[in-house]
Amino acid sequence: MSASVLTSSDVVGFIQERADEHDLTTVIEAVKARRQMLRDQAAAAVKPGLEVVIDDISPKYLQGLRGVVKSIDSGRKRRAVVTLDRESTTTLGLASSKFGFLVGRDSYDLDGIPVTCCKVTGA
């Protein structure tokens, strides 16, 4: 006996054509749980020395900044110090008057970034 494999098209078709309120609630909860698991896995991969891009963060002016993880606070809410590259340092300096002093600097150690917002890059 072979196992049946559902494709994403099968799932989308079910949702669009047959799912009732209970089914939709179940699917939404499953998606939320899966996203959290993937986020936790990605956060566990963040280590000092790795290049990262900052994603899914507030304030939004931090979104897309790039750098290298300098260190990680291993407390309950793991936070990283990310040494921004030159381009991201300038971007941050121009994005917020609070960081205006950064324009023209080569790097900056940005403290307190949740590791869940650090996406390891392939570079």
Side-chain angles (χ1 to χ4, degrees):
M1 183 190 315
S2 65
S4 176
V5 176
L6 289 177
T7 66
S8 57
S9 294
D10 295 333
V11 174
V12 170
F14 170 76
I15 291 169
Q16 290 177 333
E17 297 168 15
R18 296 189 314 241
D20 62 19
E21 282 296 322
H22 175 74
D23 295 330
L24 292 175
T25 299
T26 302
V27 169
I28 289 168
E29 291 305 316
V31 168
K32 286 179 183 177
R34 178 69 176 158
R35 282 190 171 153
Q36 185 61 51
M37 190 214 47
L38 292 172
R39 195 172 163 104
D40 291 345
Q41 283 179 340
V46 176
K47 307 278 186 229
L50 293 179
E51 292 182 23
V52 296
V53 62
I54 299 171
D55 187 38
D56 195 22
I57 193 166
S58 179
K60 289 299 180 192
Y61 60 76
L62 298 177
Q63 185 85 11
L65 298 180
R66 295 178 171 276
V68 174
V69 177
K70 182 176 185 178
S71 63
I72 297 175
D73 170 3
S74 60
R76 195 176 123 240
K77 292 188 176 196
R78 295 177 61 217
R79 306 257 177 198
V81 175
V82 177
T83 302
L84 299 178
D85 61 22
R86 182 182 182 96
E87 182 179 340
S88 291
T89 299
T90 299
T91 299
L92 180 58
L94 295 172
S96 170
S97 59
K98 176 174 142 179
F99 293 102
F101 67 94
L102 294 177
V103 176
R105 289 187 51 184
D106 288 336
S107 65
Y108 178 70
D109 288 347
L110 188 59
D111 193 10
I113 303 300
V115 293
T116 56
C117 296
C118 296
K119 307 302 179 211
V120 176
T121 64

